[in-house]
Amino acid sequence: MFDHAYNSYMDYAYPADELMPLSCRGRVRGLEPNRGDIDDSLGKFDNDIVVSVFETNIRVLGGLLGAHVMADVLKQRGERMQWYRDELLHMAKELGYRLLPAFNTTSGLPYPRVNLRYGVVNPLSRTGTESDTCTACAGTTILEFAALSRLSGDPIFEEHARKAMDVLWEKRQRGSDLVGTVINIHNGDWVRRDSGVGAGIDSYYEYLMKAYILLGDKVYLNRFNTHYSAIMKYISQPPLLLNVHMHNPTINVRSWMDSLLAFFPGLQVLRGDLKPAIETHEMLYQVTKQHNFLPEAFTTEFRVHWGQHPLRPEFAESTYFLYKATGDPYYLNVGQSIVEKLNTHARVPCGFAAVQDVRTGTHEDRMDSFFLAEMFKYLYLLFSEKSQLPINIDDYIFTTEAHLLPVSLSTTQPPCHTNNTEPQAHEDDLFSYSCPSAQTLFPNNPTFAKTIRDSYKYLTGVGRAQQASPDSQKGVYKLKLVAEVSQTPEHEEVVPLIVQLISPPFLGRTVLTAGSAKFGMDLTKQEHGSVPYTACGPIENAVELQGHIALALRGDCMFAAKARRLQEAGATGVIFIDHREGSSSAETPLFQMVGDGEPTNDITVPLVFLFSKEGATLTATLQEHHNVDVLLLPKEKQLGKESPVEKSLASYAHPALLSVPGLDPSTGKQAAQMSLYSKLYVSGQYVISFNLTEVRYQNKFMQLVSFLSVLF
């Protein structure tokens, strides 16, 4: 796969920075339509061109340093590259000097962009007017700059990178120990105060941990441990990682996650904290099962928020680290699924194309360099034995772009002389200074990872866990991938439910297709008779909810959390309505709502899910008629669909049924019991609910007789 991608680049794009895999040509800056900030990762080197300091550092400088290190290894073995005279290191040093003007700020935080020829302050630079940068942009230079200093002997690079890290540490919110997403490079004020582990912050945390590994400086580890404790306290809501407000971290600032946070389980493995790493990784894996790839952003209920997938490697990265830490072949299966989905959905004649929208599978004429640098490297290492590798991989640390730097730099090269930062006091825990060991953490329990995963394997309602069988060759596993509910009998069948409107003027003729839940009352065995709200906060009208079935909008928190909250408030059931405008059961496959990773035996009320079009029909009906009687039941048991009367009424028996006055319990044609159907009404401005207790059969009897005569 690497050869196909790389050879396509060499055949159709070299020496351009990137390949356009659909057009089969190179992307040359200035010759193709401008894509905005994305093009800041493109260069031309000794040209009058403005580039991203962050992207140029991790892609170009990191690539030159990693290539130099590997070239030097081959040369020292005396087998290959005997002609090499540190040319790549000289290029790296030149590039480092071209990036240094970006650090010429009052605070020491770098400008986000620099002109490769004119720097920042030069009138010809066409940059230097920016006032803000992202936290990751300022805090992701220490590995490359420190390595450049220690390999070249010039400490200036490490000094500037350390200064930027120091500023970010000093500007953390002292109450929460979190950092924001965007900071002013001149005065250090926070511009965006949302805090997470995804886009805008991600590699700052990564580089604190890895700076300790590469450089042996405990200052970085102490800082990372302090931040990590805050992350696990506020941002980690297993299996989710949600952005919070840095000054008030008990408040979630959004209900979606971006795909860049997929690196975080791998970082947790480096720290030795395997349980939350397994939990979040499994959640991400379930999302890829649902959408083939990780969407650029997805909601807390695992629906697409932004549909793009630019072939990001972070999920493969975490898969590799988890396999190395646990030795669990499950992660080989995950890697196999990544390989097969790339070949099936991204491979094109001239390389691999990014996915423009995971919902449609359409391609984008783009193949970023990180795809070559990271994706295939992690996959190759995942499936390789140590003895098959030309180097000892444990002697190196991966940069955020998966370039390899030797950890020997901490001892064989002089450190930066300006390290005067005192270690921060921090309460150590089991993982503060340890490497991961499954045997130490989970002694005599080789299935510990599976035990953790099992709570999350149906999180999105799609698919089953994959089954692996050992092949005759070591390290090779066969597996059968399952992707869509409708495509394989191995999946649990999603039994469609309905919401049937039975009061006049509908008389059972309006039927809304609904999805089921993996928890709560089983409506295939029992039936139940419902302006929506999210139910993610305190229930303000709990008194009105007593004895009713509530309608709630999907979103902002998980189904199980809503169900528990409404059940505790006294609701006897819940109908969820999709918050995504335009969704319908005709166009979107039904899925089963799943739990939140915690036991759901406590949720006993019936739960159904309506897509937004069906939900709009129900709410519009309520607005017009106010009193609407409905039944919740499996689709095949729809009233009016079967005859004779005996079979219909008998199959709809409910444990809490009431006898209908005037009907003889002993007759077959007029059954003694009929399912209790309920009055749907508007209760204040918050809840539309069923009244299960105020059915007055004296007033309803004539409607029942009329209804039965129409049906039967």
Side-chain angles (χ1 to χ4, degrees), residues 86-114:
D86 295 344
E87 290 88 349
L88 294 170
L89 179 59
H90 296 320
M91 293 177 69
K93 189 174 182 181
E94 179 185 354
L95 178 59
Y97 284 127
R98 292 177 185 270
L99 294 177
L100 279 181
F103 291 81
N104 187 22
T105 62
T106 304
S107 67
L109 297 172
Y111 282 96
R113 297 175 182 84
V114 66

Side-chain angles (χ1 to χ4, degrees), residues 473-498:
Q473 297 179 349
K474 182 180 179 182
V476 180
Y477 285 78
K478 297 176 180 177
L479 87 145
K480 185 172 183 179
L481 284 177
V482 287
E484 298 295 337
V485 170
S486 60
Q487 294 178 349
T488 170
E490 286 189 294
H491 283 286
E492 292 180 340
E493 181 182 0
V494 179
V495 178
L497 305 179
I498 61 168

Side-chain angles (χ1 to χ4, degrees), residues 423-499:
Q424 301 293 317
H426 180 263
E427 184 177 347
D428 295 338
D429 60 25
L430 177 62
F431 308 113
S432 294
Y433 298 97
S434 67
C435 292
S437 168
Q439 182 60 26
T440 300
L441 299 177
F442 307 94
N444 303 316
N445 184 9
T447 64
F448 80 94
K450 180 181 184 299
T451 302
I452 297 169
R453 289 192 303 266
D454 281 351
S455 298
Y456 301 98
K457 64 181 179 180
Y458 297 132
L459 200 61
T460 65
V462 174
R464 284 191 174 196
Q466 299 173 353
Q467 300 297 319
S469 59
D471 200 350
S472 58
Q473 297 179 349
K474 182 180 179 182
V476 180
Y477 285 78
K478 297 176 180 177
L479 87 145
K480 185 172 183 179
L481 284 177
V482 287
E484 298 295 337
V485 170
S486 60
Q487 294 178 349
T488 170
E490 286 189 294
H491 283 286
E492 292 180 340
E493 181 182 0
V494 179
V495 178
L497 305 179
I498 61 168
V499 176

Side-chain angles (χ1 to χ4, degrees), residues 517-539:
K518 285 183 174 289
F519 51 95
M521 180 186 290
D522 186 352
L523 285 171
T524 65
K525 299 182 176 66
Q526 309 171 71
E527 66 184 58
H528 219 75
S530 70
V531 175
Y533 70 121
T534 64
C536 288
I539 305 301

Side-chain angles (χ1 to χ4, degrees), residues 22 115 153 177 323 508 530 587 615 642 659 671 689 712:
L22 301 182
N115 189 298
D177 284 322
Y323 177 64
S530 70
E587 299 175 357
E642 296 186 71
S659 295
S689 60
F712 308 114

Side-chain angles (χ1 to χ4, degrees), residues 574-625:
V574 184
I575 296 179
F576 295 103
I577 296 179
D578 197 0
H579 64 308
R580 296 179 305 125
E581 186 176 351
S583 65
S584 71
S585 62
E587 299 175 357
T588 307
L590 287 179
F591 66 94
Q592 285 187 289
M593 297 177 286
V594 294
D596 52 5
E598 299 297 326
T600 53
N601 296 336
D602 59 315
I603 302 175
T604 58
V605 296
L607 310 165
V608 299
F609 175 86
L610 292 177
F611 288 107
S612 64
K613 285 187 178 179
E614 287 82 358
T617 299
L618 181 59
T619 54
T621 299
L622 286 168
Q623 293 298 322
E624 181 178 356
H625 298 281

Side-chain angles (χ1 to χ4, degrees), residues 661-697:
L663 296 181
D664 183 355
S666 63
T667 63
K669 290 188 177 180
Q670 292 184 322
Q673 295 182 321
M674 180 177 177
S675 300
L676 178 63
Y677 69 100
S678 306
K679 181 180 177 185
L680 191 61
Y681 71 103
V682 177
S683 175
Q685 68 183 62
Y686 297 110
V687 181
I688 300 171
S689 60
F690 289 106
N691 186 325
L692 292 178
T693 58
E694 297 181 4
V695 177
R696 293 177 172 81
Y697 289 103

